Amino acid sequence: MSYVLNTPEDQKAMLAKIGVSSVEDLFANIPTELRLKRDLAIPPAMSEMELQSHLSRLLGKNQSASDAVCFLGGGAYDHFIPSVVDTVAGRSEFYTAYTPYQAEASQGTLQAVFEYQTLMCELTGLGVANASLYEGGSSVTEAALMALGITKRPEVLIAESVHPEYRATLETYAANLNCRVRTLPTPDGFLNPDDVKSAVSDATACVIAQSPNFFGHLEEMQAIGDAAHKVGALFIASFDPVSVGVLKRPGDYGADIAVAEGQGLGVPLQYGGPYLGILACHEDSRFLRKIPGRLVGQTTDRNGKRSWVLTLQPREQHIARANATSNICTNQGLLALRAAVYLTAVGPQGLKETAELCIRKAHYAAEQLTKVPGVSLRFKTPFVKEFALQVPGDAKGLLAKLRTAGYHAGLPLAQWYPALANCITVAVTEKRTKAEIDGLVEALKANV
């Protein structure tokens, strides 16, 4: 980070500018009895050289995805990122966190977001996409809030196979709203469409399913959507953007709203965030009036030149205040740009090849890993790049041993699914080589 000067002379100049004589005067309105009358209980100040050394030691305790062979998944994947993504996203004119409020003065930023929205529409097969949300969990939640507002119904149905952290985010929002969230069990690792038919009613605002789901397996999305639509409910599909290279797009199987975690589109793992929330929906006035976040539209200026503007702003918090469609009044502009550059760089054929590599390598890994005595696939349904394994003994302890052997071998499921205490998920992206997969198999043999 940049070095910022703050000398006594600087402080004196700033205090003079705002008309006070000391820093202490800034806290004069805080009652004396509420103020701390001692120094903060923190270590003494360090010199710059000492501080750099101290921070380096702390950072050395971290282990990133690149410090071991990475088979982690659960919504964050070790996909390849073309160097052009960093080059474009690192340019100073783009290196910003979100769309500015004086947006029309920033035509380059708006054009980049507009291109992102266009790509998301192509990726999802739906008519409109917003300027991005925070991550996959906020996308699921905002889609559910949209459905509640559009249908005026009080109930949200969500599959247990949806990412548990997405479900937790939804339940946190719903706790203070006049609605109820029902989780539909998925004991076999997928949502049975017959269970959806039994669960939906005239009170159902939407049904939410994820495919590939949290276990990596495919859901019967068309049948689930049909069951929702039969009672007038909306169908919200959470999807994996990379898998769309070979799978049907959400709009092609009847999704009304499509949401996703966009991390796999050119965003590094970076210890869990920040990431990118994708949301797209029908180009219908009912949806447009309820879509959260920002929307960039294309128009022409007074000279007839193509230009871009923030559109439908009365929906937003800075205008509608408490009546806004969402409390999200910004976007992940930098990460949306990365996704747009990634998709432009790889193109439809590159995305297809990436997805195919993931499928082939994941199935090879599953075949070899399940040859280890005591290891088996937990679920039998088709999967793409991630799958659940049942392992002998303590899954968490086994993963710790495999980390020591140089492998981030997967995620333990017990923290979210107690019934799957001896199970892990393993994700295999296009980056993994045959040698790395074979190495994991040998390490597993040595530790089970």
Side-chain angles (χ1 to χ4, degrees):
M1 91 182 262
S2 302
Y3 178 69
V4 181
L5 293 171
N6 188 19
T7 65
E9 290 76 16
D10 292 327
Q11 294 178 26
K12 188 180 296 184
M14 288 187 285
L15 291 169
K17 185 70 174 179
I18 61 177
V20 297
S21 58
S22 69
V23 172
E24 187 72 13
D25 291 344
L26 297 174
F27 303 96
N29 62 334
I30 299 176
T32 304
E33 64 272 16
L34 297 179
R35 298 174 66 176
L36 189 67
K37 299 179 179 63
R38 58 169 176 79
D39 291 336
L40 292 173
I42 57 176
M46 299 180 185
S47 67
E48 183 178 356
M49 183 170 65
E50 291 171 329
L51 182 60
Q52 286 186 0
S53 177
H54 175 64
L55 290 175
S56 295
R57 286 194 299 272
L58 291 178
L59 290 170
K61 295 180 179 181
N62 290 329
Q63 188 178 50
S64 74
S66 59
D67 294 329
V69 183
C70 184
F71 293 90
L72 299 174
Y77 302 95
D78 187 27
H79 284 293
F80 175 71
I81 301 173
S83 59
V84 66
V85 176
D86 289 326
T87 300
V88 175
R91 291 180 62 94
S92 60
E93 59 265 47
F94 286 127
Y95 205 75
T96 178
Y98 52 79
T99 52
Y101 282 99
Q102 293 76 33
E104 283 65 43
S106 305
Q107 286 293 296
T109 298
L110 291 185
Q111 182 180 2
V113 173
F114 182 81
E115 299 296 348
Y116 161 81
Q117 291 175 179
T118 303
L119 287 163
M120 291 306 106
C121 289
E122 293 182 5
L123 194 69
T124 60
L126 291 165
V128 62
N130 73 2
S132 75
L133 299 169
Y134 300 137
E135 29 62 41
S138 66
S139 295
V140 167
T141 300
E142 291 291 337
L145 297 180
M146 274 183 71
L148 291 167
I150 292 167
T151 64
K152 309 299 182 186
R153 294 177 174 186
E155 181 181 70
V156 174
L157 301 182
I158 187 167
E160 189 183 26
S161 53
V162 171
H163 196 305
E165 291 176 354
Y166 300 177
R167 290 188 283 116
T169 303
L170 173 60
E171 288 164 2
T172 299
Y173 272 70
N176 294 300
L177 298 175
N178 187 26
C179 68
R180 60 182 179 272
V181 177
R182 288 175 56 201
T183 301
L184 302 180
T186 56
D188 297 319
F190 70 97
L191 180 59
N192 190 323
D194 289 336
D195 293 339
V196 180
K197 293 175 186 175
S198 301
V200 293
S201 70
D202 292 341
T204 305
C206 63
V207 177
I208 306 173
Q210 180 179 1
S211 186
N213 62 29
F214 183 68
F215 307 116
H217 293 266
L218 297 178
E219 299 277 5
E220 297 182 50
M221 299 298 270
Q222 183 81 52
I224 294 169
D226 289 346
H229 293 150
K230 194 168 184 179
V231 297
L234 301 183
F235 177 39
I236 298 171
S238 178
F239 71 103
D240 172 49
V242 173
S243 299
V244 172
V246 294
L247 301 177
K248 277 186 176 182
R249 302 177 300 174
D252 296 335
Y253 53 68
D256 299 295
I257 306 172
V259 295
E261 170 54 68
Q263 178 273 328
L265 303 177
V267 179
L269 284 167
Q270 50 199 15
Y271 296 103
Y275 286 162
L276 169 68
I278 295 169
L279 188 148
C281 63
H282 292 307
E283 192 172 2
D284 177 298
S285 62
R286 295 180 306 147
F287 289 80
L288 286 173
R289 292 180 187 280
K290 296 295 183 182
I291 192 171
R294 319 206 82 171
L295 290 171
V296 176
Q298 182 174 283
T299 185
T300 54
D301 64 15
R302 62 184 178 181
N303 298 316
K305 184 179 179 182
R306 187 168 65 138
S307 58
W308 295 270
V309 295
L310 285 180
T311 190
L312 294 174
Q313 289 194 72
R315 306 160 16 263
E316 296 191 50
Q317 197 177 55
H318 65 289
I319 294 177
R321 303 299 183 187
N323 294 320
T325 57
S326 168
N327 70 342
I328 291 180
C329 54
T330 180
N331 77 324
Q332 292 283 35
L334 184 61
L335 304 182
L337 173 67
R338 294 185 70 92
V341 176
Y342 174 89
L343 288 170
T344 303
V346 302
Q349 183 61 29
L351 194 66
K352 179 176 183 286
E353 292 172 2
T354 299
E356 288 175 341
L357 283 170
C358 290
I359 291 171
R360 288 199 292 268
K361 293 183 177 189
H363 282 74
Y364 173 76
E367 180 184 333
Q368 298 304 311
L369 288 167
T370 52
K371 290 179 180 178
V372 177
V375 178
S376 61
L377 285 173
R378 178 61 180 81
F379 304 114
K380 305 303 182 184
T381 48
F383 60 89
V384 179
K385 64 183 177 187
E386 193 167 11
F387 50 89
L389 285 180
Q390 187 165 311
V391 298
D394 175 25
K396 196 170 183 179
L398 174 61
L399 291 174
K401 292 177 184 178
L402 293 172
R403 273 197 302 275
T404 302
Y407 296 90
H408 293 307
L411 294 178
L413 294 178
Q415 59 182 316
W416 301 297
Y417 302 93
L420 302 177
N422 62 337
C423 295
I424 64 173
T425 55
V426 178
V428 187
T429 69
E430 77 284 6
K431 286 180 64 175
R432 300 286 70 84
T433 65
K434 182 177 183 296
E436 290 172 335
I437 295 169
D438 292 343
L440 174 62
V441 173
E442 293 304 314
L444 186 60
K445 285 180 183 177
N447 285 284
V448 294

